[in-house]
Amino acid sequence: MMVLAVVWSIFRQEILRYQLRLGTALYDLPRPAEPAQVKAAEYTGVILRILLFLLGLTIVLARLMLR
C-alpha cells in the first residue's frame, strides 16, 4: 500500500488527467474541466494517497509488534 501511495505521488499529474478525462466521458462534464473540478480531483487524490500510506504503515507496525 505504501508503494502504491509513492507511485501515485510520482505519477499524480497523469492520474489526475485520466480521472478528469474519465469523468468528462462518464458524466458529460464540460471540457476543459472547471478549476473547482480539478481542485476536487487533486484533493481526492491527496486523501487517498494519505490513506494508503497510513494503512500500509499500520500493517507494517502491526507485523512488527506481533512478531
Side-chain angles (χ1 to χ4, degrees):
M1 287 186 188
M2 293 169 69
V3 173
L4 183 59
V6 170
V7 170
W8 192 339
S9 295
I10 294 170
F11 298 106
R12 68 185 183 276
Q13 292 299 323
E14 290 83 6
I15 293 171
L16 177 62
R17 275 186 247 137
Y18 177 73
Q19 285 176 326
L20 293 173
R21 189 176 23 181
L22 189 65
T24 57
L26 288 176
Y27 302 113
D28 295 326
L29 298 174
R31 288 183 192 213
E34 297 175 8
Q37 292 171 333
V38 174
K39 265 306 193 209
E42 287 175 355
Y43 286 137
T44 301
V46 168
I47 290 170
L48 289 175
R49 285 193 314 258
I50 290 171
L51 239 169
L52 282 171
F53 190 81
L54 290 177
L55 288 174
L57 187 62
T58 303
I59 290 171
V60 168
L61 291 176
R63 287 185 59 114
L64 289 174
M65 290 173 49
L66 296 175
R67 275 189 158 188

